[in-house]
Amino acid sequence: MPDETEQRLLEAAGRVFADFGFKAATVRKILEEAGIKNIAAVNYYFGDKERLYEATLRFAFQCGLSQMPNPQWPAGYSPECKLREYIRLLAQHMLNQKHPWQMQLLLREFAQPSEAGAGVVRDFILPLNRLLWSILHEAIGPDVDERKLHLIGFSIIGQIFHQKIGAPVIRLVVGENEHDGYTAEVLAEHVADFSLKALGLTAPKEVHS
Amino acid sequence: MPDETEQRLLEAAGRVFADFGFKAATVRKILEEAGIKNIAAVNYYFGDKERLYEATLRFAFQCGLSQMPNPQWPAGYSPECKLREYIRLLAQHMLNQKHPWQMQLLLREFAQPSEAGAGVVRDFILPLNRLLWSILHEAIGPDVDERKLHLIGFSIIGQIFHQKIGAPVIRLVVGENEHDGYTAEVLAEHVADFSLKALGLTAPKEVHS
DNA sequence: CTTGACATAAAACATCCGTTTGCTACTATT
DNA sequence: AATAGTAGCAAACGGATGTTTTATGTCAAG
């Protein structure tokens, strides 16, 4: 089956690239991970290693990340609820990812965008920010400096990203025991509480706790 | 001069390791960067590439990061001011670093701790967190869940780390023009305002803006 | 049945990388 | 002056890696 091997190649490449980075990931390791004995498969299907990487990036984007929120809320939905839900969606999407390598790969490009990934990352990050900005705009009011709006957005996203990117170190700092309790739901609720209060918004659903 | 070359080797290794990561950084590239023609210098002074990496990590830590705050405030200093100052110190230290590769190297270990760097990173991150926790403890009161305290700390640190780690993407998102205005002072003030309000603390120095 | 395109397999190639080795120059000690 | 230790240098080695080439199998169209 022709395209089946190509698919396995992409998934295996995703895992290996995510684990080791572009340079440290070897073609032979990817092939072994994919269970393919044909050493020339990468060059046969993708030309060379670099184009395999680009394809893997695009694959990770289409497969797991373009399905992100873009939720359609009913008219009259309060901005507070929208914001809380946005945070919950983002946290769940980043932390409960079924295929962890997809997010790992994107985070690699996030910290050090390669030429290949700059466009892809921007296509993923920018809409995420635009949506958040529109919510914030609605929540705070129209008379806010645009730069302030951006900074608030980064403050919110930064809290979530930090929990994802820094997870290994955070685990060391608080101990495995406590860190196991850092589920997406717990983190989302904390970030939402923290951020909503920072914006001076009444926090809905704060009955419990 | 013997130790001079060793020093140049360490600094060059720092830059190259920070730029390319451990695997992609080659010994020959480091030597070229250091202006050393002796190909065996790395092995001569450090044994092998890996021990050079460890030494570089330790060097980066001692040279630029152990000088971080640990400030001694006068008695009676309000927790609000302490917190605001802590944020400003951390932001300045992370963003205004004279030798960018030091922070870059640490951030690499932050996202993907190697065996060599786990201890070093923890020695750098943990005291930072302990100090912040003590401030928060003082600011909020003794009757706060410890886990909540940790989460608040990560929310604050996460905002700053995100601005550092994600700088390339953030620059793409908001444009170079606006991003050039994201100085350490501006970011610190925003993060402090945001976080202090989230904690329900009165924000000092908020007269301007 | 033959042909030709496609997929797999395995060997081979050229390059790069970390490391080792042998050598030379210099310096301080005896 | 002779010796030992240190530092720099360049060639070379062994191994890994990306890629190319050649050979083999598969299968549908003519």
Side-chain angles (χ1 to χ4, degrees), chain B residues 53-159:
Chain B
Y53 183 70
E54 297 176 20
T56 305
L57 229 56
R58 237 173 290 128
F59 174 65
F61 171 68
Q62 292 174 352
C63 207
L65 301 168
S66 62
Q67 303 168 359
M68 232 306 270
N70 221 350
Q72 297 300 332
W73 287 294
Y77 212 66
S78 81
E80 290 91 342
C81 287
K82 285 185 186 177
L83 186 54
R84 183 174 286 273
E85 205 154 335
Y86 174 92
I87 291 171
R88 194 177 49 81
L89 277 173
L90 183 60
Q92 283 183 346
H93 195 80
M94 294 200 61
L95 301 166
N96 289 342
Q97 190 79 7
K98 189 176 179 182
H99 301 291
W101 62 266
Q102 291 174 356
M103 192 55 68
Q104 210 173 334
L105 205 57
L106 265 287
L107 289 181
R108 265 188 192 281
E109 289 294 325
F110 182 73
Q112 289 206 339
S114 67
E115 287 186 25
V120 174
V121 171
R122 217 187 46 187
D123 290 348
F124 166 57
I125 301 289
L126 200 54
L128 226 66
N129 279 295
R130 288 200 200 284
L131 175 58
L132 177 56
W133 291 340
S134 72
I135 296 175
L136 290 173
H137 200 79
E138 185 184 356
I140 304 177
D143 57 338
V144 183
D145 184 21
E146 191 183 3
R147 200 182 69 169
K148 189 69 181 172
L149 202 78
H150 295 170
L151 288 177
I152 292 172
F154 294 134
S155 282
I156 294 174
I157 292 182
Q159 293 175 66

Side-chain angles (χ1 to χ4, degrees), chain A residues 106-166:
Chain A
L106 266 287
L107 289 180
R108 266 187 192 280
E109 289 295 324
F110 182 72
Q112 288 206 338
S114 67
E115 287 186 26
V120 174
V121 172
R122 217 187 46 187
D123 290 347
F124 165 58
I125 301 288
L126 200 54
L128 226 65
N129 279 296
R130 288 200 199 285
L131 175 58
L132 177 56
W133 291 340
S134 73
I135 296 175
L136 290 173
H137 199 78
E138 186 183 355
I140 305 177
D143 58 339
V144 182
D145 184 21
E146 191 185 1
R147 199 182 68 169
K148 189 70 183 172
L149 203 78
H150 294 169
L151 288 177
I152 293 172
F154 294 134
S155 282
I156 295 173
I157 292 182
Q159 295 176 64
I160 301 173
F161 270 49
H162 184 250
Q163 286 286 348
K164 176 67 180 179
I165 296 180

Side-chain angles (χ1 to χ4, degrees), chain A residues 62-120:
Chain A
Q62 293 174 350
C63 206
L65 301 168
S66 62
Q67 304 167 358
M68 234 305 271
N70 221 350
Q72 298 299 331
W73 287 294
Y77 212 67
S78 82
E80 291 90 340
C81 288
K82 285 185 186 177
L83 187 54
R84 184 172 285 273
E85 205 154 338
Y86 174 91
I87 291 171
R88 195 176 49 81
L89 276 172
L90 183 60
Q92 283 182 347
H93 195 79
M94 294 199 63
L95 300 167
N96 289 342
Q97 190 79 5
K98 188 176 180 182
H99 302 292
W101 63 267
Q102 292 175 355
M103 191 55 68
Q104 211 173 333
L105 205 57
L106 266 287
L107 289 180
R108 266 187 192 280
E109 289 295 324
F110 182 72
Q112 288 206 338
S114 67
E115 287 186 26
V120 174

Side-chain angles (χ1 to χ4, degrees), chain A residues 7 25 49-50 57 62 80 122 131 140 174 196:
Chain A
Q7 197 71 10
K49 186 187 177 185
E50 187 152 351
L57 229 57
Q62 293 174 350
E80 291 90 340
R122 217 187 46 187
L131 175 58
I140 305 177
V174 303
L196 282 171

Side-chain angles (χ1 to χ4, degrees), chain A residues 16-83:
Chain A
V16 179
F17 279 135
D19 273 353
F20 299 92
F22 176 76
K23 185 66 189 294
T26 71
V27 173
R28 286 174 172 83
K29 216 181 298 181
I30 292 172
L31 292 168
E32 184 190 9
E33 184 83 4
I36 295 175
K37 299 188 175 183
N38 179 13
I39 304 189
V42 166
N43 307 92
Y44 182 80
Y45 282 102
F46 298 94
D48 56 17
K49 186 187 177 185
E50 187 152 351
R51 271 177 286 185
L52 168 63
Y53 183 71
E54 298 176 20
T56 305
L57 229 57
R58 238 172 290 128
F59 175 65
F61 172 68
Q62 293 174 350
C63 206
L65 301 168
S66 62
Q67 304 167 358
M68 234 305 271
N70 221 350
Q72 298 299 331
W73 287 294
Y77 212 67
S78 82
E80 291 90 340
C81 288
K82 285 185 186 177
L83 187 54

